[in-house]
Amino acid sequence: MGCGATTSQPRRFELRPSLSTVPLLPFRRRPAMQDWPGLIEGYRKWLPVSSKTPVITLREGATPLIPAPTIAERIGRGVKVYLKYDGLNPTGSFKDRGMTMAISKAKEAGSEAVICASTGNTSAAAAAYARRGGMRAFVLIPDGYVAQGKLAQALLYGAEVLAVKGNFDRALAIVREVADQYPVTLVNSLNPYRLQGQKTAAFEVVDALGEAPDWLCIPVGNAGNISAYWMGFNEYKAAGHSRKLPRMMGFQAAGSAPLVLGHTVEQPDTIATAIRIGNPVNKENALKARAESNGDFMAVTDAEIIEAYKLLGAGEGVFCEPASAASVAGLIKRREEVPADSTVVCVLTGNGLKDPTTAIEHNDSKFHTGLDPVTATVAQVMGF
Ligand code: F0G
């Protein structure tokens, strides 16, 4: 099958029942992983690119939709739960989907530098793609509130990192002004190409399931991703790839929940630093997605986020970052309302390795240190 073949029918694979304790999943046959060309080539006809667009790609996209039987058991009533694990993108988050588009289009326009404000993931993706495209990357981050892995990435990818004494919302206001006044391209999700790239995640979900899910549970910060998914589901349905649309269920951290509260939060606060945002720029699009899909926004507490984060790790073997676990925390919180036998997809936006500090501080595992290097000691600690 050709790499760009996005319109053929999904092929159904039969697994022997003994091989799978989860419902059989019809999925689109994909080219072998090493042949996946990245999402611009993979979904070219859906994207605003032309033969003149230089494609700057790290072969992002084509991330797995992973069955989550442990979480499904918590929900009960025959509900099927899948995790869209976008932490397996090249820089470890869904931002790569938007950044391959934004940077390719910036390059096409002749830009030599890009700028973004970021809680961490956007800065890592902007840096990686900009440098790959031979551009400078300026990233503004809230000083002291970016997870270690993300900061390490931005630095290693060669960004010029500016940590400001203020939150994300303040940093975003500054980069908007800088991009207005100086020759640098803004690559936050105000840049329309970002959402174009990110909508491909919805395509992949439908390609994998053969239909849209009943619910899409997604963490919401600046509200770009929920808007992009909604655009993707609508475009795919209009083209006949699905018959239905999901309810869009957006979850914010309780200390940073402007869309739930209905007003800006001046001092956003949460352990999930990725979504520590008080004034989402894509608010209008997100409100539209909620209204049109009969969806909802809800807040989840840091304690609920951490509980879901640990359950994903120790129950499913999936390591995501705390912000991503908000989608699962939200599903668990709303479990009574999920229709019996329905299909739910929870979006896991970022890889757990981004934030090792939170994982080390919040887990239920046993960690024995300082042991004598003696077999008897080890066996004894093991309980033998
Ligand atoms: N999950 C993760 C891991 C994120 O990094 C973000 C946003 C979100 C969810 C929320 O997505 O903003 O589209 O609603 N991170 C941005 C950043 C703000 O700078 O990396 P959203």
Side-chain angles (χ1 to χ4, degrees):
M1 178 187 280
C3 293
T6 55
T7 52
S8 59
Q9 287 301 307
R11 173 173 156 183
R12 278 155 209 278
F13 282 69
E14 296 297 327
L15 297 181
R16 277 189 290 126
S18 60
L19 289 180
S20 173
T21 55
V22 295
L24 296 180
L25 178 66
F27 59 92
R28 175 178 295 275
R29 184 179 162 85
R30 285 218 173 275
M33 203 55 193
Q34 67 267 28
D35 295 333
W36 171 248
L39 62 83
I40 292 182
E41 295 304 347
Y43 290 104
R44 178 173 274 272
K45 76 168 198 178
W46 303 89
L47 296 168
V49 289
S50 72
S51 56
K52 291 193 202 69
T53 312
V55 175
I56 296 164
T57 179
L58 290 162
R59 310 263 169 134
E60 59 295 310
T63 58
L65 192 65
I66 306 173
T70 304
I71 293 158
E73 210 178 290
R74 289 244 175 149
I75 312 301
R77 295 177 293 109
V79 173
K80 292 171 279 304
V81 180
Y82 297 97
L83 309 169
K84 179 61 174 164
Y85 190 27
D86 250 2
L88 285 187
N89 275 299
T91 79
S93 86
F94 73 98
K95 304 287 181 179
D96 295 347
R97 296 182 181 277
M99 217 48 86
T100 185
M101 276 298 300
I103 298 290
S104 295
K105 295 301 285 189
K107 187 77 181 167
E108 181 179 353
S111 177
E112 290 176 5
V114 302
I115 190 166
C116 66
S118 181
T119 56
N121 282 323
T122 300
S123 67
Y129 284 82
R131 300 302 294 159
R132 195 169 172 88
M135 285 177 261
R136 293 175 74 183
F138 296 96
V139 307
L140 263 73
I141 56 171
D143 204 352
Y145 289 93
V146 168
Q148 282 288 299
K150 303 175 190 183
L151 182 58
Q153 287 180 291
L155 293 168
L156 186 96
Y157 291 138
E160 294 168 57
V161 179
L162 299 107
V164 296
K165 288 187 249 156
N167 61 32
F168 169 86
D169 305 291
R170 182 73 202 115
L172 184 58
I174 295 169
V175 301
R176 290 175 77 164
E177 283 172 15
V178 171
D180 269 349
Q181 293 166 27
Y182 303 96
V184 286
T185 304
L186 182 73
V187 293
N188 278 105
S189 55
L190 286 157
N191 179 322
Y193 299 119
R194 280 275 313 276
L195 300 197
Q196 287 290 325
Q198 285 173 214
K199 76 183 179 188
T200 60
F203 298 167
E204 291 178 14
V205 168
V206 176
D207 286 344
L209 293 172
E211 180 52 280
D214 297 292
W215 280 28
L216 187 91
C217 296
I218 183 167
V220 175
N222 218 14
N225 213 24
I226 190 171
S227 309
Y229 265 91
W230 186 237
M231 175 161 59
F233 284 124
N234 276 283
E235 288 185 13
Y236 241 35
K237 178 166 178 287
H241 287 277
S242 70
R243 288 181 304 275
K244 60 187 182 190
L245 291 165
R247 284 186 75 187
M248 302 297 283
M249 306 297 282
F251 296 101
Q252 299 204 286
S256 309
L259 293 174
V260 179
L261 298 169
H263 60 77
T264 299
V265 174
E266 297 298 337
Q267 306 282 349
D269 184 35
T270 170
I271 194 167
T273 51
I275 52 173
R276 187 175 167 272
I277 294 173
N279 186 19
V281 289
N282 285 293
K283 181 170 73 183
E284 296 307 325
N285 283 331
L287 291 172
K288 191 165 154 275
R290 176 176 70 175
E292 291 177 359
S293 74
N294 187 31
D296 204 2
F297 298 139
M298 195 181 197
V300 286
T301 64
D302 280 6
E304 289 164 338
I305 288 173
I306 292 299
E307 195 203 325
Y309 173 69
K310 292 192 294 191
L311 184 64
L312 280 160
E316 302 288 4
V318 176
F319 190 17
C320 67
E321 61 174 286
S324 306
S327 62
V328 172
L331 170 63
I332 292 171
K333 201 162 182 168
R334 302 290 292 258
R335 65 184 174 278
E336 304 293 340
E337 294 159 63
V338 188
D341 302 316
S342 60
T343 298
V344 178
V345 170
C346 295
V347 180
L348 298 187
T349 45
N351 196 302
L353 293 168
K354 295 268 191 180
D355 185 359
T357 316
T358 304
I360 289 166
E361 286 173 4
H362 297 274
N363 64 77
D364 297 329
S365 293
K366 296 195 179 96
F367 182 23
H368 308 279
T369 57
L371 300 180
D372 288 334
V374 175
T375 305
T377 307
V378 170
Q380 189 191 18
V381 171
M382 288 169 73
F384 294 114

